[in-house]
Every structure is written in structure tokens, then in C-alpha cells.
Amino acid sequence: MAFVLNVPEISEDHDREPSPYDENEVHDSFHQLIQEQSQWAELQLRELGAGAPGTSDRGRQAPLGPEDAAAPSTATLRILASMPSRTIGRSRGAIISQYYNRTVQLRRRVTRPQLGGAGRSARPSLRLYDLELDPAALEEEEKRSLLVKELQGLTVAQRDHMLRRMPLGLAEKRCLREESRTLTGKHRGGRGQRGLFPCCGQLRDTCVLVLHSLGLGLLAGLHRLMPWHYALKRIGGQFGSSVLSYFLFLKTLLAFNALLLLPVLAFVVGVQAAFPPPASLGSVPAFTGLELLTGGGRFTHSVLYYGYYSNSTLNQPCAPPDGGQCGPESPSLPYNMPLAYLLTVGVAFFVTCVTLVYSMSRSFGESYRVGSASGVHAVTVFCTWDHKVTQKRASRLQHDHIRTHLKELLAEWQLRQGPRSACGRLRQVAALGLVWLLCLATTLGCTVAVYAFSELMIKSPVSADQEGALLALPAVVCLLNLGAPYLYRCLATLEHHDSPVLEVYVAVCRNLILKMVILGVLCYHWLGRRVGALRDQCWENFVGQELYRLTVLDFIFVLLDTLFGELVWRLISERKLKRREKPEFDIAGNVLELIYGQTLTWLGVLFAPLLPAIQIIKLLLVFYVKKVKPSSTCGPFRTLDTMYEAGKVWVRRLEKAGPSVSWLPWVHRYLVENTFPVYLVSALLLAVIYLNIQVVKGQRKVICLLREQISNEGEDKVFLINKLHSVYERKERSRVGRTQEAERLGDHPGAC
Amino acid sequence: MGGSGSRLSKELLAEYQDLTFLTKQEIILGAPDAHRRATSQPPPGLGAPLAPAAHRRFCELLPQEHRSMEESLQIRVSLEQILSLPELKANPFKERICKVFSTSPARDSLSFEDFLDLLSVFSDTATPDIKSHYAFRIFDFDDDGTLNREDLSQLVNCLTGQGEDTRLSASEMKQLIDNILEESDIDRDGTINLSEFQHVISRSPDFASSFKIVL
């Protein structure tokens, strides 16, 4: 039952508009009203008892509609205006009491209050004194002084933190701060338990202040170091937050790549470049421009690829052949290259993985909201205007976007309200199934094409001067990766989803499946077929070159797609589909492109993808690599059976070294080689996920119950407002009746 | 242009940093960039120093003879001048924003501290709590402490654009407001109060990033 209170403008009361600063007056009149009502109720009972015909129709509660609301009295309006639910947004007193309560809770969490024989007035916090609901309506000054007293109980940092978060003006916050500071000196002198070490408290405060200003200075310095601050601000102003998020993601990926690159540069590439291996047999081919695309030719024997790295200890102290002396410049710092390669890449991957998982879980925790799927109209109206937009044209675009979005929401809502015939439902499900089938068929077709083409490439080997032909397979893969998403977009127009968010998820899912499957086929082609085909040569070099080619061509195709593909799509959508609006920046698709490119880069370092979404493939790949034998003619793992043996060899050497480092081999044997810790960790992870799911379910249930409770309280409120209205109406009528009586008596003084 | 106009005292600066969400960079600025801004030259691009900050921008709005430090802290700037700032010009809520932060009795002018309050609430580090509190006050067009149907309809008109052809039709507007009240008015009294508004806001993780103005 919706209650609409018609509050017309009462012209004679402009200067006496209901204001939150007249709270005392209002509460007094409320008390008076209750007294009057109770007296009137007693009167009624007496009259009823005496058999007088009572105004029984007054007892019926009628919901007040707009037609009954004839001039509600100002007293009613003032009471309604000062209801706590309406004043919390504007009244200073209400804000102060709200933050008083929060400060009390904070302080109680921080220090345990003393239980002693002090008077009740001294420590209102212990009496759970809730200022908002106390009907003895304290003056604003009293509330303020209580708040100041509570603020004094906090530390300096907490007080500043509390003040900063209050929605008051700067001048008022300053007053509160001054008051809580000046009285602190007196207060501190009186505290008994601090008297033992008075200097400690002061020292601690000084330390906190110094750290605070250091922290502020550091933040300011970091802010200055952030690159592209002005460019990002311009992008946000012109295009809005969602496009800005794409560029922020790009910046994050840069940081990740730097994190991966620096250790590898320092420990592997730099050292090997300083101690180059002996010159290889055969001449070094000349540099042609094709190397930049194919990664072969001149680049084959360079630090770019795995094959260049030696499998021995560099900088080895020389072993004199017959007991003679070594040369004067005998080096003394041996550097075990295979171990360094394995450990550097392993540690870099591990750190990247941990950082990724941590940042993903943190942002998921921040952005997931229970019950966020419902209430889409309210969220659209309240939260979608982007205040960062500063240009007129972008602002107009936002207006258009919001308007079309609202109209679409309303249309969808209408559709959903309409009677859902079984026929309609069946048709929708059939369309959905058909589109999914077509998309999966497309994916299968692309996969088969890539597989067939790769088999063809193996069967017809390429000679050294036809290296351009090596670009064929990556080109085919990139073309398919670009063309299939457009096909998916066309097919998606056939189906109809309940919410636009679901549409985006489904599109992202399909693209992800396509890319994962194609990558899987390529990995099989490299690690399964190519290794067999290149038995005596350096297969790692070849795979590295393939990944290089794939990365470079992907980049080129993405550029071409951005320039021409969007243009073609815009022309098609304008002519064929007759849509006048500009197609927006396809954020989901572009972000996927970024992720795909990053995946290739990570694969290129040592065949291990790191994104959690492709984590399963990563585990499979790592197990697969373990089974593959490194080639015997190149690379730092030339003489070993698997790459991990480099670590095992070193551990065995450590064991022989002596008992002082025996814990390391023990750790290696029981935690790294054993599979039990892996199972334990996965079981723990599953348990944590299950726990979180249950917690979310519980929260949803609690939210439902609370909503019901609030709605019941709302009915109470409506009942009371109606009662209030009828009381004042009766008063008004009786007053009018009395004045009319008085006039009548005045006009006819002699009449009875 | 440097010198007296840009030097706030250290204590005042520390106080502003403690009581608002702004950093020192966002409150004051050194001279060279300010001169460039004042003569509206385009910025140099990558590696440019930070955008000019509050005190400098506020002083640019004042007439030349009033730009000393003491005067800039006391004087009030009229609403029209604040509305001419490029960051607010394209914002459909600009009048409401200035009215909410104004502390003058007639609510038609802003002092420097009001301006700082505005920037603090719209800054990067302000809590979503304080942002939603002020968003509620901005959307409350008739200042009665709740969002009733007229407030909501004015809000939707602000969002969809100012022209006659850009507004929603009457039936669409009624349907939309009914839906909004259905979704957010939990106690069914026909209006949305602050707690209900904050509950709706808490369901959207993008609110904090869209309720931002960067100077």
C-alpha cells in the first residue's frame, strides 16, 4: 500500500517552513499532542460508558488519499519534516549524533572502558546512550560536547580519520578539532593509568604524527611519479570511465611485464651476453628486414632464444692441466647457467602468479555485491552519470546513452511483464540453443582448419631462404581470431537475453573458448609434432620463433582491425541495420585482445600461461613439458633428461656438500617433489571457496528478512501518520466549530 | 603570478590535508604551470606536471586586485563564476552541486573552503559513504530530506538531456519512477530516504569511480 502524502505549498507559511533546526519545538508539540489525545480518549470512554452516541465512524482507519488531504496542518508537516529518517540527510544535529555513535563504537573496540564507581553522567557510552532515538531530545550543543568528549578518547590519527569522514563543512570540522585538542591537555593530566609513563604517550603521538606526514609525502611523491596522469585524465574526460579502465588495465599489464623482464634481464640475458659462447659453425647470415617479422635468420643465434644459452658453468675457475699455475686473471665467481635459467624463470613466474591471484581476489572482493543483479532501474538512474566527463560533446553522448539505456530497460521490463506463454519460452530457449550450437560449430571449424594447416606445414618443410613462408600459419591463426568474433556478434543478434550483463558474459565466454582451443591445438602442434620432426635440431628455438611470429602478427592484425575493421562494421550497421548511434569502443573484446597478447608473451618465456582463467591448461602444459626431453644439441639443458633435472642435480650436489645445508634437500624432497602438498593446497583452496559461497548465501537470506522487517515497520509508520492526520483534522474542525459558535453567539447575543 | 597568491601557510595547509581527502599537490601548485594555465596554453603532453590545483584555480576566478592570500580565504565567489569552470560546465548537476556546498545564507556563493569541501568529496580517496551522502543531497532538489516523485522526475530529466525531444514521455517517466520506487523504497512510504539511497548505491561498485571530478 503506497502512501502518497500531498504536501502543497502553503503560501502564508513560507517563512515558517518546516526546518530541521526547530527540532525542540516540534518534539514539545508532539508530547502535547499525546497528552491531548489521551485526555480525549478518556473522555470518549466516559461518553461511551454513559451511553452517548460516540463518533464511532472515527474509529475506522481509512487510508488517506490525495483527495482527503485537505490542507494538512502545519504542525503535522513539521512533525513529518523532522522524522529521523528525513533529517539524517541534512540536519547537523543528526549527523553529529550518528558520528557520535560511530566514535563510541570505535573507541569501545580500541580500549576497554573502566568499570568503576563513576557516576552515570560521566560515561554515557557505557549506558548505550543512543542519541538518535532518545526522546529527551538533547540540544545540539550537548550532542556536540558529547561528540568532542568521545573524540578526545581516540588517538590523533583516528581522530583525524574520523573527522575526515564526517559530511560536515570544513569550518565545523575545524571547530571540532580545536575543541577536542584543547581539552586533551587537561584530560591527559587527569588520567591515572597513564601517569606511570607520561613521556611514552607523547613520544607515541609524535611518532604517529611524523609517520603520518611521511606517509602523506610519500603518497604525493608516488603521485608525481605516475606516468600519463594528464593523458589519462583527458581520456576520462572525453570518453568516460569504462574506456579509461581499458587503459588502466594496459598500464597494469606493463607493470607485470616489467616485473617479469627485470630478473630475466639481470640474471640470464645479461650474464650470457657478457660471456658469449664460442662462435657457431657456419657463417652468420646477413640482416634482412624479414627478421623482424619471422624472428629467424640473424636473430636465431642471439640472446633472444633458448638455444644460445650454454649448459655449463660460466666463469669457471680454471683447472690447471698438470698441476701448474693458472693465469693471473683467473676468475673466482662461477655461474651455473642451467640452474640460473631455471630458477630465474621459476621465481619470476611464481611472483607474477602470486601477485595476479592476490590482486584478482582483492578486486573481486571489492566489486562483488550481494544482490547486485536486481534493482537495475534505480542503479542506472543514481549511479551511471560519470562526473569526470568534461567536454560538451562527450556529455551529450552520455545523455544519449543513458536515455537509450533507460528506454531499453523499460522495454525489457514491459516484455517481462507480459504473459509468458510456454510457446514464447520454448522459442527463446530454442533460439539460444541454436546460436550456441552455431558458435561451437564455428569454433570446431576454426580448430580443424588450424590443425590441418599445421599438418600441411610439417609435411612440406621450408628451406632457409623461404623463411617468409613460415609466416603462413601465424597469419591464418590471427585471421581466424579476428574474424570469428565478428561472426559471433552477428549470431548474437538472433538471441534474446534477460539482462545486458548476461549478454556480455556470454560473448566473452565464446571468444575465450575459441582462443583457448586454438592455442591448445598450436601447443600440441609445437610440443607434440614439431619436437618429433626436429629430432636432431633445436626444437626450443623453433618454438620460440613461432611464438615470436605469432606475437608480432597478432599485433599487426590488431592494428589493422582497429583501423579498418571498426570502420567496416560501422558502415554495415549504418546501412543495413539503420542504427544511427556510433558503435562504442568494444571494451570486452579489446580487453580480451590484451589478455591474449599477454598470454602469448608469457608462453613465450617458457610455455607457461599465467592467467588464472587458463590455469588448467598451464598445469597440463607444465606436466607435458616434464615429459618432453630437451634437445641434445642446444640450450642450457642439453645433457639432461628434463628441465627440472637441473634443480635435482644441484640438490644432489648440495647433499654431498655436507650436513649444514641438509634442510634444503629435505625441503626439496618432501615439499617440491612430493605431490601431497599440491593436493593439500588445492583442498584448502576448495574449502575456502565453499566457505565464501555459504557466507554469501547466508547474507542474501539475512537481507531478505531485513527487507521484510523494514516493510512491516513502514506499515506502522503509515498507520501512525494517518492517525496523526485524523487527530489534527479533528482538532481543526472542533476549533472551526467553536469559532463559528462564538460568532453566532456574538451576532445574536440574546438567542439561546 | 607566483609569490603571494600561491603561498598558503604551512599550518593551514597541514590542516586542510588532515581534514579533507586532498593531498598537498591538489591544494597548491608551483608557479610555472599556473602561468601557462592562466594564459590557456595547451599542456606539453606526456611528462607534464600535475594539473593545477585548488588554490590556484580558485584565485584565477577572483579579480586581479583580490588575489592576495588573506583575501582569497575570506572572499566568496559567485555561482556564475564557479559554474564557468571547465570541469563543471558540462555537468547537468552543476547548480545543485554548488548549492549543496555553499555555506552562505542565500546559498549563492562559494568560499575557498567550500570549494575545498567540494573537491574533497569528489576526490579519488573519499569514502563511498561520504560520496553517497552528498550525492543524496545533490539529488534532493527540494531539500526536504527525501527523494519524492518530483525529485526523481527532475533527476531523470537532468540525466536525459535538456532539450524537449530528449525527455522521456509522461507514461515512460511514470513507469520508470514506479520501478525505481519498487526497487528501492523498502518501507513503502513513497519516498526514498538516505538509508535506502545508500543501500541502492552499495549495490553498484562503479559509483565511487564515476562520482569523481579531477581538477
Side-chain angles (χ1 to χ4, degrees), chain B residues 92-207:
Chain B
F93 300 105
K94 51 185 186 245
E95 289 98 359
R96 280 300 304 167
I97 291 176
C98 295
K99 262 216 190 117
V100 162
F101 286 99
S102 161
T103 50
S104 67
R107 310 213 14 214
D108 61 353
S109 59
L110 284 180
S111 71
F112 177 61
E113 297 194 341
D114 296 338
F115 189 57
L116 274 189
D117 268 334
L118 196 159
L119 291 175
S120 164
V121 167
F122 278 97
S123 79
D124 226 336
T125 42
T127 56
D129 208 26
I130 206 173
K131 281 187 200 258
S132 58
H133 189 103
Y134 276 96
F136 181 76
R137 283 170 66 175
I138 290 172
F139 293 155
D140 188 9
F141 284 84
D142 52 8
D143 277 325
D144 65 351
T146 56
L147 303 180
N148 52 19
R149 294 189 80 102
E150 284 73 36
D151 287 330
L152 288 175
S153 96
Q154 262 183 291
L155 173 61
V156 173
N157 283 334
C158 271
L159 283 177
T160 55
Q162 294 310 324
E164 271 310 309
D165 53 339
T166 53
R167 298 191 173 193
L168 295 179
S169 68
S171 65
E172 282 174 336
M173 180 70 82
K174 179 177 175 315
Q175 188 60 58
L176 181 62
I177 294 181
D178 284 341
N179 285 352
I180 293 176
L181 287 174
E182 170 77 36
E183 288 162 3
S184 36
D185 187 15
I186 306 179
D187 59 2
R188 306 266 171 256
D189 65 348
T191 64
I192 301 178
N193 59 24
L194 178 67
S195 321
E196 288 161 351
F197 182 77
Q198 283 181 326
H199 182 66
V200 171
I201 296 288
S202 73
R203 274 190 257 144
S204 153
D206 302 323
F207 173 72

Side-chain angles (χ1 to χ4, degrees), chain A residues 37 51 162 266 311 334 356 410 435 445 535 537 589 608 729:
Chain A
Q37 266 301 91
M162 203 72 198
N311 69 329
L356 257 182
L410 284 173
V435 172
R535 204 166 297 281
Q537 300 156 41
E729 222 174 308

Side-chain angles (χ1 to χ4, degrees), chain A residues 476-489:
Chain A
V476 164
V477 168
C478 289
L479 266 176
L480 287 175
N481 272 334
L482 282 179
Y486 282 115
L487 187 63
Y488 292 157
R489 242 199 262 185

Side-chain angles (χ1 to χ4, degrees), chain A residues 1-5 17 81 83 85-90 95 98-99 102 160-161 163-171 173-174 177-178 181 209 212 216 219-221 223-224 227-231 233-234 241 366-392 395 398-400 402-403 406-407 409-410 413-414 703 706-708 710-715 717-718, chain B residues 12 14-26 37 43 45-51 86-87 89-94 97 103 113 116-117 120 122 127 129-130 133-134 136-137 139-140 143-147 152 155-156 158-162 165-168 172-173 175-176 179-180 182-184 186-197 199-207 209-215:
Chain A
M1 167 177 78
F3 171 70
V4 177
L5 180 66
E17 221 177 271
M83 276 200 299
S85 62
R86 296 196 185 201
T87 58
I88 188 63
R90 332 169 266 163
I95 294 175
Q98 187 188 31
Y99 277 86
R102 286 195 197 176
D160 282 344
H161 185 66
L163 278 174
R164 206 178 288 153
R165 292 168 58 197
M166 284 194 201
L168 296 168
L170 201 54
K173 285 197 236 187
R174 188 189 287 134
R177 200 164 98 129
E178 288 303 320
R181 218 191 262 164
L209 279 169
H212 187 57
L216 280 176
L219 260 177
H223 200 56
R224 216 196 285 256
W228 300 336
H229 170 84
Y230 191 74
K233 182 201 158 188
R234 271 206 3 243
S241 300
E366 275 172 10
S367 68
Y368 181 71
R369 299 279 188 268
V370 180
S372 62
S374 62
V376 67
H377 293 93
V379 165
T380 308
V381 166
F382 292 142
C383 309
T384 40
W385 183 265
D386 192 354
H387 292 261
K388 284 205 287 280
V389 169
T390 53
Q391 307 218 341
K392 267 246 154 10
S395 181
Q398 260 208 62
H399 283 305
D400 291 341
I402 289 184
R403 190 178 55 249
L406 285 173
K407 288 199 173 156
L409 283 175
L410 284 173
W413 186 84
Q414 289 277 25
I703 288 178
L706 285 174
R707 283 182 91 104
E708 262 185 53
I710 294 177
S711 153
N712 288 337
E713 303 281 336
E715 281 184 30
K717 194 161 89 171
V718 164
Chain B
L12 205 56
E15 193 177 60
Y16 287 154
Q17 267 189 298
D18 282 338
L19 293 178
T20 66
F21 289 100
L22 302 171
T23 64
K24 192 164 115 174
Q25 251 68 36
E26 290 167 342
R37 266 279 167 165
L46 259 185
L50 291 179
E87 284 81 6
K89 242 199 288 198
N91 198 324
F93 300 105
K94 51 185 186 245
I97 291 176
T103 50
E113 297 194 341
L116 274 189
D117 268 334
S120 164
F122 278 97
T127 56
D129 208 26
I130 206 173
H133 189 103
Y134 276 96
F136 181 76
R137 283 170 66 175
F139 293 155
D140 188 9
D143 277 325
D144 65 351
T146 56
L147 303 180
L152 288 175
L155 173 61
V156 173
C158 271
L159 283 177
T160 55
Q162 294 310 324
D165 53 339
T166 53
R167 298 191 173 193
L168 295 179
E172 282 174 336
M173 180 70 82
Q175 188 60 58
L176 181 62
N179 285 352
I180 293 176
E182 170 77 36
E183 288 162 3
S184 36
I186 306 179
D187 59 2
R188 306 266 171 256
D189 65 348
T191 64
I192 301 178
N193 59 24
L194 178 67
S195 321
E196 288 161 351
F197 182 77
H199 182 66
V200 171
I201 296 288
S202 73
R203 274 190 257 144
S204 153
D206 302 323
F207 173 72
S209 64
S210 63
F211 200 74
K212 240 192 263 185
I213 290 181
V214 181
L215 256 199

